[in-house]
Amino acid sequence: MSKSIMIQPAIHMFQFPTISSAGAPEGGDDDDTGLVTQTKVKTKKPSLYRVVILNDDYTPMEFVVFILERIFNKGSEEAYKIMLHVHNHGVGVCGIFTYEVAETKVAQVLDLARRNEHPLQCDMERED
């Protein structure tokens, strides 16, 4: 034999006084109870950072192209152009990212370079 239990949800009714155009609650009460304010939250766009590779005389050009293709998802042609820019100008931009992504990319480049015994340097700069 089973008993059925009936549960009724509790209903809460709140009454807030209406606000007149003057900003005071209507109804003769001059106290501040029931006054509800709402704050608008504006989200700010995150700062962006350029990830740059620095030229050196020891890291092979093929390794720099490999880094650009694997870590920065560049196509072969674009990776080669960036590598030549680094070689000719001393520094080249690999991409522009949010802080956390840029920091991760720099760490990946430095780690891969060290594991392959290359002195390649990579850094990040705040985008203005």
Side-chain angles (χ1 to χ4, degrees), residues 93-117:
V93 176
C94 304
I96 300 172
F97 309 95
T98 59
Y99 181 83
E100 291 80 11
V101 174
E103 187 177 46
T104 300
K105 300 269 186 199
V106 169
Q108 289 174 332
V109 169
L110 295 176
D111 181 55
L112 195 55
R114 297 303 163 262
R115 285 192 282 140
N116 286 279
E117 299 179 357

Side-chain angles (χ1 to χ4, degrees), residues 30-78:
D30 287 334
D31 61 84
D32 289 333
T33 59
L35 183 60
V36 178
T37 60
Q38 203 170 28
T39 305
K40 284 192 175 186
V41 177
K42 289 187 179 182
T43 55
K44 190 172 103 174
K45 288 185 180 182
S47 298
L48 296 176
Y49 292 80
R50 284 186 296 265
V51 176
V52 296
I53 288 183
L54 306 172
N55 188 38
D56 63 68
D57 294 332
Y58 303 101
T59 304
M61 292 179 179
E62 295 81 16
F63 184 75
V64 175
V65 170
F66 173 78
I67 290 282
L68 291 165
E69 289 174 343
R70 292 295 171 107
I71 295 178
F72 297 97
N73 300 316
K74 302 293 183 185
S76 297
E77 191 173 314
E78 187 179 6

